[in-house]
């Protein structure tokens, strides 16, 4: 049964961390006016925490708020007022123990903070964040299950694999790439989609901060939309998350069914790197409505 999801991926430079909340409200309203009918709006990494001063780490720390602080309450109200799923990129979060997390948020059309994810793989040694300790997916009723990875997470195949195993059909990957390796990230977005048979939305910041090249990839690795170059803009498309079920049933290119690789008769495979193993009984992705 088709499950269409009209989405808009904003390729914009970050707003200053000191900007008025009205600035982001105006951005989202303009995007929705340009793309009416959108149900999910997503922004790049650190979109609300732009810093430009000489002491970037200190400015990021100053921009941090508790998870359930004023910024989160304003964003929840905005999502509720507009009646959309809102993924406003990532924010600097001050943890209960004083940690500094790079945290992705998502809000429902009912104006609720539904889920959050703390970046597990900060780009060391250049980023000051404390790493998160878990992978995160959330359910959007009537749409499907969505998972988060943040920027450098995409370089670790364990992230997308676990999200898919947890039932994610779409991986949102907010990015703030300012360096020449965006070309490699585009390959990784397609590779993560192919090897896990999921949609991947890689949403990068625009110039003058980011290098752009936002990308939306289907579960067979096909490029569905590409914002070529660093200019501000938006990728708007409608994806059918039921395509994930179809691809896993019929196989990628009608051939490859990676999630059917193991049978109950297979022996576990040791994974020395993780001090663990692949257990054939646990290989299949989580089911969900």
């Amino acid at each position: 049964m088709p499950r269409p999801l009209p989405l808009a991926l904003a390729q914009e430079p970050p707003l200053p961390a000191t900007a008025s909340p009205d600035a982001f409200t105006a951005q989202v309203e303009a995007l929705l006016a340009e793309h009416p009918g959108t149900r999910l709006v997503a922004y790049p990494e650190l979109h609300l925490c732009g810093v430009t001063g000489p002491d970037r780490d200190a400015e990021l720390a100053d921009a941090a708020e508790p998870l359930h602080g004023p910024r989160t309450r304003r964003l929840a109200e905005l999502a509720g007022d507009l009646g959309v799923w809102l993924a406003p990129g990532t924010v600097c979060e001050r943890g209960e123990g004083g940690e500094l997390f790079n945290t992705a948020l998502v809000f429902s059309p009912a104006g609720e903070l539904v889920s959050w994810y703390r970046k597990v793989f900060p780009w060391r040694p250049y980023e000051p964040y404390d790493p998160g300790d878990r992978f995160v997916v959330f359910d959007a009723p009537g749409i499907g299950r969505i998972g988060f990875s943040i920027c450098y997470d995409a370089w670790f195949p364990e992230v997308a694999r676990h999200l898919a195993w947890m039932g994610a059909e779409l991986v949102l990957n907010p990015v703030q790439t300012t360096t020449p390796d965006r070309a490699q990230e585009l390959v990784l977005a397609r590779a993560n989609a192919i090897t896990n048979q999921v949609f991947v939305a890689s949403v990068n910041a625009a110039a003058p901060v980011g290098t752009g090249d936002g990308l939306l990839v289907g579960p067979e690795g096909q490029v569905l939309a590409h914002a070529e170059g660093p200019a501000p803009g938006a990728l708007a498309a409608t994806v059918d998350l039921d395509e994930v079920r179809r691809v896993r049933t019929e196989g990628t290119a009608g051939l490859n069914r990676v999630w059917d690789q193991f049978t109950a008769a297979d022996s576990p495979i040791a994974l020395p790197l993780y001090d663990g193993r692949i257990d054939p009984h646990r290989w299949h992705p989580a089911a969900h409505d």
Side-chain angles (χ1 to χ4, degrees):
M1 181 177 179
R3 287 177 285 131
L5 172 60
L7 51 79
L9 312 176
Q11 182 165 293
E12 297 287 346
L15 292 171
T18 55
S20 164
D22 292 341
F24 183 58
T25 297
Q27 277 193 336
V28 181
E29 289 177 341
L31 184 61
L32 291 174
E34 186 176 352
H35 302 288
T38 295
R39 297 184 68 188
L40 170 65
V41 179
Y43 282 81
E45 181 182 22
L46 296 174
H47 182 68
L48 300 177
C49 295
V51 298
T52 58
D55 192 347
R56 183 175 185 272
D57 288 1
E59 290 184 67
L60 290 170
D62 288 343
E65 292 187 11
L67 179 63
H68 297 289
R71 177 170 51 210
T72 299
R73 291 193 289 271
R74 289 194 302 267
L75 291 169
E77 291 174 0
L78 176 60
D81 289 344
L82 297 176
V84 295
W85 288 92
L86 176 62
T90 73
V91 296
C92 294
E93 178 204 344
R94 181 61 64 193
E96 293 181 359
E99 307 95 334
L100 180 64
F101 295 118
N102 185 350
T103 304
L105 308 171
V106 65
F107 302 87
S108 75
E112 299 173 339
L113 174 63
V114 171
S115 190
W116 60 91
Y117 164 70
R118 294 160 174 162
K119 189 176 185 177
V120 167
F121 292 105
W123 190 39
R124 290 173 169 166
Y126 305 103
E127 293 183 344
Y129 310 110
D130 294 288
D133 62 1
R134 69 199 65 187
F135 304 120
V136 173
V137 298
F138 66 93
D139 288 321
I143 296 174
R145 186 167 292 177
I146 299 171
F148 269 118
S149 71
I150 300 173
C151 202
Y152 199 47
D153 285 334
W155 288 75
F156 295 84
E158 299 84 356
V159 177
R161 176 54 48 91
H162 274 83
L163 294 175
W165 179 76
M166 294 166 72
E169 298 162 300
L170 166 65
V171 175
L172 284 179
N173 177 227
V175 176
Q176 190 184 98
T177 294
T178 63
T179 47
D181 55 351
R182 183 59 180 163
Q184 284 75 23
E185 291 179 345
L186 300 182
V187 176
L188 291 171
R190 297 187 68 186
N192 284 326
I194 292 168
T195 57
N196 298 293
Q197 296 176 321
V198 294
F199 288 92
V200 172
S202 183
V203 193
N204 192 16
V209 174
T211 56
D213 269 318
L215 194 68
L216 177 63
V217 184
E220 295 184 271
Q222 68 275 38
V223 174
L224 302 177
H226 183 192
E228 296 187 48
L235 291 180
T238 297
V239 299
D240 179 6
L241 294 190
D242 200 54
E243 277 290 289
V244 171
R245 180 203 57 78
R246 182 194 66 78
V247 170
R248 291 178 180 176
T249 300
E250 299 178 3
T252 298
L255 296 168
N256 298 300
R257 300 175 179 84
V258 294
W259 293 109
D260 292 333
Q261 176 64 28
F262 296 105
T263 72
D266 290 330
S267 298
I269 299 172
L271 299 176
L273 173 62
Y274 304 111
D275 193 22
R277 65 182 188 174
I278 294 176
D279 186 335
H281 294 278
R282 292 173 51 81
W283 177 252
H284 295 283
H288 56 92
D289 296 331

